[in-house]
Amino acid sequence: MFSRKRTAAFALPLLVLAAACGKDNTSTGSTAAQPAALAPSATEVPAPIPAPAVPEKPVQKVEIQIASVANEMAFDKTALAVPAGAEVHLVLKNNATMSTLPHNWVLVKEGTEATVAAAGLKRGDKAGYVDVMDRDMLAFTPLAKPGETTEVTFSAPTEAGKYPYVCTMPGHYMMMKGVLTVTP
Ligand SMILES: [Cu+2]
């Protein structure tokens, strides 16, 4: 009984307070109506023209010329860069004069240079020292004999990152290498 009375005593001032607040709200409500009066002028502002649908990014085409260095087991370029997903046309010129130095250009997933070269070695000379079933191999040219040119067209990886390239002629991959950087 006693506690109920106390609750009622507290409730009364709260009600008064709430009423006062309500009054305040109505007065601020009328001032809040002012911006609404400006609304007609706001409608005069032309509606923003919807942006045209963004067309699919056209595939970028990249031309790369690379060569071997004289009778060395080396590429003249050890760093290449292409945008992700670009259509790449790579031409490899074999500048060697020694008949024992055919070369190729093989793009691989990072860290797979040795296994890709080993798989290529197993396939042998007739296969151009590449195993076409090797999923770590991302692109490759046929072998180019000394003085010859070979080429390949491929889609660059869609994932930005570093992709090593090597020559998979037996014994070459450890020295004849470089890194293709795929930019976003
Ligand atoms: Cu080579």
Side-chain angles (χ1 to χ4, degrees), residues 24-39:
D24 264 357
N25 280 353
T26 49
S27 66
T28 51
S30 67
T31 51
Q34 268 183 340
L38 293 171

Side-chain angles (χ1 to χ4, degrees), residues 112-125:
T112 66
E113 299 94 316
T115 53
V116 168
L121 186 58
K122 269 189 193 168
R123 304 296 300 163
D125 183 70

Side-chain angles (χ1 to χ4, degrees), residues 35-107:
L38 293 171
S41 70
T43 58
E44 284 165 30
V45 176
I49 298 158
V54 180
E56 284 257 322
K57 228 175 157 184
V59 175
Q60 283 180 266
K61 293 191 178 187
V62 179
E63 287 288 332
I64 294 176
Q65 305 279 336
I66 192 166
S68 65
V69 179
N71 288 317
E72 293 174 34
M73 282 182 248
F75 288 114
D76 65 344
K77 289 172 188 159
T78 56
L80 299 171
V82 298
E87 186 186 300
V88 183
H89 177 227
L90 179 139
V91 177
L92 166 68
K93 169 88 197 315
N94 186 344
N95 283 326
T97 52
M98 288 165 60
S99 61
T100 54
L101 286 175
H103 297 299
N104 63 7
W105 182 92
V106 181
L107 184 68

Side-chain angles (χ1 to χ4, degrees), residues 73 101-104 167-169 172 176:
M73 282 182 248
L101 286 175
H103 297 299
N104 63 7
C167 169
T168 59
M169 268 297 289
H172 289 209
M176 199 161 179

